[in-house]
Amino acid sequence: MNNNELQNKEKTEALEKSLSEMCSLLAKNNDTKTIRDFFECLFTPAELKDFATRWLLVKEIDNGTTQREIARKFGMSLCKITRGSRELKKPDSAFRRFLELAKEL
């Protein structure tokens, strides 16, 4: 393995560790305000909007709204909506698990 490949591997491993750490911290935190504050520090306003819009589209798909209607209503690409739809159809879908949690709120 050359030096560039080694650096890429180390970077990938560091990013994976960082993502896992953030997920663990979010799972341990029960304070909605702290999580929102964390997201607002971590993401730009445009990224937050995209983040929220993606969750909104998943809920809309689950409610039976057509992909074209979602695209028209929220100005989203069919590609993003199709991706959400595909993820929802997976048997072990994390979206599905989160939708079940959302029903408990």
Side-chain angles (χ1 to χ4, degrees):
M1 185 176 291
N2 67 35
N3 191 35
N4 201 22
E5 290 172 330
L6 183 58
Q7 286 177 337
N8 285 339
K9 183 179 181 209
E10 288 172 352
K11 181 180 177 181
T12 299
E13 289 171 357
L15 290 172
E16 180 57 39
K17 183 177 178 182
S18 180
L19 180 59
S20 292
E21 180 181 42
M22 284 190 298
C23 290
S24 293
L25 290 168
L26 290 170
K28 287 182 179 182
N29 187 307
N30 292 323
D31 182 18
T32 303
K33 184 182 179 333
T34 300
I35 294 171
R36 184 181 180 112
D37 290 347
F38 177 70
F39 283 169
E40 288 175 352
C41 290
L42 192 62
F43 301 114
T44 66
E47 290 168 333
L48 276 173
K49 181 182 175 189
D50 191 47
F51 194 63
T53 302
R54 286 175 186 247
W55 179 240
L56 180 62
L57 85 85
V58 169
K59 293 190 309 180
E60 289 288 330
I61 292 167
D62 189 55
N63 287 333
T65 308
T66 67
Q67 291 186 21
R68 292 201 183 281
E69 190 175 344
I70 294 169
R72 185 180 43 73
K73 254 169 100 171
F74 303 109
M76 301 179 74
S77 72
L78 286 173
C79 183
K80 273 186 191 175
I81 299 165
T82 300
R83 181 174 179 270
S85 180
R86 262 195 314 254
E87 288 297 321
L88 263 174
K89 290 177 184 172
K90 290 181 179 178
D92 61 340
S93 171
F95 280 162
R96 181 70 49 215
R97 292 191 305 266
F98 267 73
L99 285 166
E100 292 302 317
L101 285 172
K103 290 176 185 174
E104 296 173 11
L105 294 180

